[in-house]
Amino acid sequence: MKPESLVGVTRLEDQGLKHLKAALFNLPPAALVEQSIERSEAILSNSGAVIVNTGQFTGRSPNDKFVIQHNTAQDDEIWWGKVNVPMPEEAFDRLHQKMLAYLQGRTVYVKDMMVGAHPDYKLPIRVITEKAWQALFSHDLFIRPTAEEQAKHTPEYTILVCPDFQADPKVDGTRSSTFILVNFQKKLVLIGGTHYAGEIKKSVFTVMNYEMPRQGVLSMHCSANVGVKGDVALFFGLSGTGKTTLSSSPDRQLIGDDEHGWSDTSIFNFEGGCYAKAIRLKPELEPLIWDACQRFGSVLENVDYDADSRKIDFDSERFTENTRGAYPLDYVTNHVESGYAGHPENIFFLSADAFGVLPPISRLTPDQAMYYFLSGYTSKLAGTEKDLGSEPQATFSTCFGAPFLPLHPGRYADLLGEKIQKHQVRVWLINTGWSGGAYGTGSRIKLPYTRAMIRAALNGDLDNVAMQKDPYFGLSVPVSCPDVPDEMLLPHMLWKDTAAYEKQARGLISRFEDNFKQFAQQVPVEVVKAGPHNP
């Protein structure tokens, strides 16, 4: 298909897109790779993966996200505040019209995709972008419709992406020239001023976090896999805590690496691909991700390479720590083709503790599970968001995904609590962060140890092991774990300076207490008591 082709342009007229140079619908990956290279948007690596540089923005811009306020009863559902900053509908409409005018005379790439693998919850979406590589990214990340589905595809939500278009904050009511605007009433998302494709992915996740709970489905920021016996496991955590790495296991089938729903019948993936951190990727530690990132049609964001050989340098952080690989789920050899499976037997909350005081593994009571889910403690790692420095920052991200929650956290917590109780799910807190000292002094917990602890929990090897109480957090920690040194299990045993450990532990406990004050009046007193408390 020639770039000048106007095939399908009339289908966009009802969405306000007129006088386009070209509207290229649902090009296959090979054509999108060609377009990306011809337009100098990307280069082709020696393995066939596409490499792109997103320029100034190598992570999300959470402070530039707005939710449109309509002054109707629908607004009452939104969790207004720092996460969901309101924008008047009039301002949204003006900026929308400016984007439509900007696109006149330009080529756009249209991908009609699906979100939600379970047939009862599939949501048709449309991504319209001025960049061929972002259309390829959308093809990789979302669920590809069957020929029958595509023939009758009518998008419920549209994501309009103009990376080179910039807002005028003084005129448009934005914080900067970058904007991510979510309009639930018009079912339209506008993204501009940033080339980082993660904004597309997470905007769609925000949509699912709005739509699914209203249908009784718990939407979750987690990865999921299933064992040979049909036992499902979920891995909650923010970017960089290990969701993709720990769920991509050669001896278990991958359901998905980041976003899922939990209905009355199953766990199901929202996406059709993976968006893995690629920094310092090693084939011996993460073979499935390594192989997938080397395939033709995969998109590598901000990954360095040798200009002559086009060989990828995954160890380089020249552009950012937040290098990424996007690839279709079927590039993972042992994925679950349907995208869904049964109810989980184990849930893992992943926290990259930069203070080095949380145990590497502990089993949570139901009340503790609710406390740590609402707390969502971790450390944001370098590069995952704009303006983050080189050192991790301690953060509390409600439900392990606060930036993407349009509804009040209680909606998600109540659904999780009900499902844990109904299905008698074991819940574990896993520290994938530091041990033997805080960041800069201690060391990152080795991946083989974390894998061994996950494996032991999944195999039931810890069910009959005696538990010991962590002296500061009151967590139940196994006294031993196969393939893990015993001294690893209680953090204070690895610190050379006991007083320094106590200071860090009490400091983190104070942070937990301060953060949880916002929920103290909304949850049972048993949940409040289940958290750590300083004397």
Side-chain angles (χ1 to χ4, degrees):
M1 183 182 295
K2 296 181 179 180
E4 294 77 15
S5 170
L6 293 177
V7 173
V9 71
T10 55
R11 294 168 56 191
L12 297 177
E13 288 182 348
D14 61 349
Q15 295 181 297
L17 287 155
K18 301 176 182 179
H19 310 301
L20 299 170
K21 178 182 179 181
L24 304 181
F25 275 80
N26 300 314
L27 295 184
L32 291 171
V33 170
E34 289 175 348
Q35 291 276 311
S36 300
I37 294 170
E38 287 176 8
R39 291 159 57 98
S40 300
E41 297 176 4
I43 69 104
L44 195 64
S45 75
N46 67 335
S47 71
V50 165
I51 301 177
V52 298
N53 190 294
T54 61
Q56 175 187 358
F57 293 93
T58 58
R60 292 185 300 103
S61 301
N63 294 329
D64 293 308
K65 175 185 171 184
F66 296 85
V67 174
I68 309 311
Q69 194 170 38
H70 301 281
N71 296 317
T72 65
Q74 191 177 18
D75 287 348
D76 295 339
E77 289 189 284
I78 304 299
W79 180 35
W80 299 110
K82 184 179 180 181
V83 170
N84 299 295
V85 180
M87 171 180 278
E89 188 172 14
E90 297 78 13
F92 174 88
D93 290 340
R94 287 195 301 270
L95 197 49
H96 184 206
Q97 290 303 313
K98 290 173 70 172
M99 290 180 74
L100 295 176
Y102 164 83
L103 287 172
Q104 292 188 27
R106 299 176 186 270
T107 297
V108 298
Y109 297 85
V110 183
K111 289 300 292 186
D112 288 329
M113 308 297 289
M114 310 291 281
V115 190
H118 196 283
D120 291 344
Y121 300 103
K122 278 190 175 181
L123 182 77
I125 65 168
R126 169 172 286 175
V127 180
I128 304 171
T129 176
E130 60 180 326
K131 300 295 180 182
W133 80 264
Q134 289 191 337
L136 178 62
F137 173 92
S138 299
H139 176 92
D140 287 350
L141 257 292
F142 302 119
I143 297 172
R144 294 155 288 282
T146 63
E148 181 181 356
E149 288 173 332
Q150 196 159 81
K152 59 183 181 180
H153 190 281
T154 302
E156 287 197 35
Y157 276 85
T158 296
I159 298 87
L160 182 60
V161 190
C162 297
D164 291 333
F165 174 83
Q166 296 189 334
D168 182 344
K170 295 180 180 178
V171 175
D172 298 318
T174 56
R175 188 189 69 93
S176 71
S177 59
T178 300
F179 57 92
I180 304 96
L181 312 182
V182 184
N183 191 324
F184 292 114
Q185 191 173 90
K186 294 187 175 180
K187 299 191 173 184
L188 178 62
V189 177
L190 307 180
I191 301 174
T194 173
H195 289 246
Y196 183 64
E199 299 288 13
I200 301 173
K201 167 187 165 67
K202 290 306 185 184
S203 293
V204 174
F205 184 39
T206 299
V207 165
M208 294 299 277
N209 279 327
Y210 177 77
E211 295 289 345
M212 289 296 99
R214 301 164 84 221
Q215 300 179 47
V217 174
L218 171 61
S219 51
M220 304 174 292
H221 190 207
C222 71
S223 58
N225 63 23
V226 58
V228 293
K229 296 180 181 179
D231 59 304
V232 173
L234 305 182
F235 302 80
F236 285 83
L238 292 188
S239 174
T241 56
K243 293 191 309 301
T244 300
T245 297
L246 293 172
S247 58
S248 298
S249 174
D251 57 351
R252 293 175 67 84
Q253 284 188 290
L254 182 68
I255 303 171
D257 84 321
D258 197 43
E259 303 166 6
H260 290 80
W262 188 353
S263 71
D264 290 338
T265 60
S266 67
I267 295 292
F268 63 94
N269 193 0
F270 286 166
E271 300 180 303
C274 301
Y275 191 43
K277 286 204 73 171
I279 191 70
R280 291 178 284 278
L281 193 61
K282 296 287 189 295
E284 62 272 18
L285 294 179
E286 300 169 276
L288 300 181
I289 300 173
W290 172 272
D291 290 342
C293 285
Q294 307 285 336
R295 298 278 297 274
F296 177 83
S298 293
V299 176
L300 302 180
E301 282 186 324
N302 304 308
V303 172
D304 205 358
Y305 62 95
D306 181 86
D308 295 325
S309 67
R310 301 292 180 90
K311 185 177 180 181
I312 301 163
D313 182 1
F314 286 114
D315 289 331
S316 173
E317 53 186 76
R318 180 159 70 102
F319 303 113
T320 178
E321 276 266 341
N322 191 38
T323 56
R324 292 279 176 169
Y327 48 87
L329 195 59
D330 56 19
Y331 281 12
V332 179
T333 54
N334 62 340
H335 73 284
V336 177
E337 188 172 348
S338 69
Y340 55 91
H343 299 291
E345 293 185 13
N346 289 278
I347 291 175
F348 299 94
F349 294 158
L350 308 178
S351 295
D353 174 30
F355 295 97
V357 294
L358 278 183
I361 183 170
S362 51
R363 183 165 177 178
L364 304 181
T365 67
D367 288 331
Q368 286 175 328
M370 298 310 298
Y371 183 94
Y372 283 94
F373 181 65
L374 284 168
S375 296
Y377 168 67
T378 189
S379 300
K380 290 181 180 177
L381 302 184
T384 54
E385 290 182 6
K386 183 176 180 289
D387 299 328
L388 277 182
S390 60
E391 295 188 3
Q393 296 179 9
T395 187
F396 292 88
S397 185
T398 304
C399 307
F400 293 97
F404 324 118
L405 303 183
L407 307 179
H408 192 278
R411 293 281 291 273
Y412 309 97
D414 289 345
L415 281 168
L416 179 67
E418 292 168 8
K419 292 179 181 298
I420 287 175
Q421 183 177 17
K422 181 178 180 179
H423 300 287
Q424 296 297 296
V425 186
R426 293 187 292 262
V427 184
W428 308 84
L429 180 65
I430 303 291
N431 176 16
T432 62
W434 281 258
S435 181
Y439 174 85
T441 302
S443 57
R444 192 80 188 257
I445 296 172
K446 294 180 180 179
L447 180 58
Y449 287 154
T450 301
R451 286 196 186 279
M453 288 181 269
I454 297 286
R455 185 168 58 249
L458 292 173
N459 293 341
D461 295 338
L462 303 180
D463 290 352
N464 297 315
V465 171
M467 294 287 174
Q468 54 194 332
K469 287 289 183 183
D470 176 271
Y472 291 90
F473 291 87
L475 296 166
S476 296
V477 179
V479 298
S480 64
C481 178
D483 301 318
V484 179
D486 290 350
E487 62 270 18
M488 281 285 301
L489 299 173
L490 284 177
H492 68 277
M493 300 293 290
L494 293 179
W495 280 62
K496 296 179 181 178
D497 187 336
T498 303
Y501 172 84
E502 181 174 347
K503 181 180 179 180
Q504 289 281 38
R506 297 205 181 282
L508 181 56
I509 290 171
S510 294
R511 286 178 166 88
F512 268 103
E513 290 177 319
D514 290 343
N515 174 73
F516 208 79
K517 288 176 182 177
Q518 61 183 307
F519 306 117
Q521 303 302 316
Q522 304 164 23
V523 300
V525 65
E526 291 80 10
V527 173
V528 178
K529 291 181 178 180
H533 298 282
N534 277 318

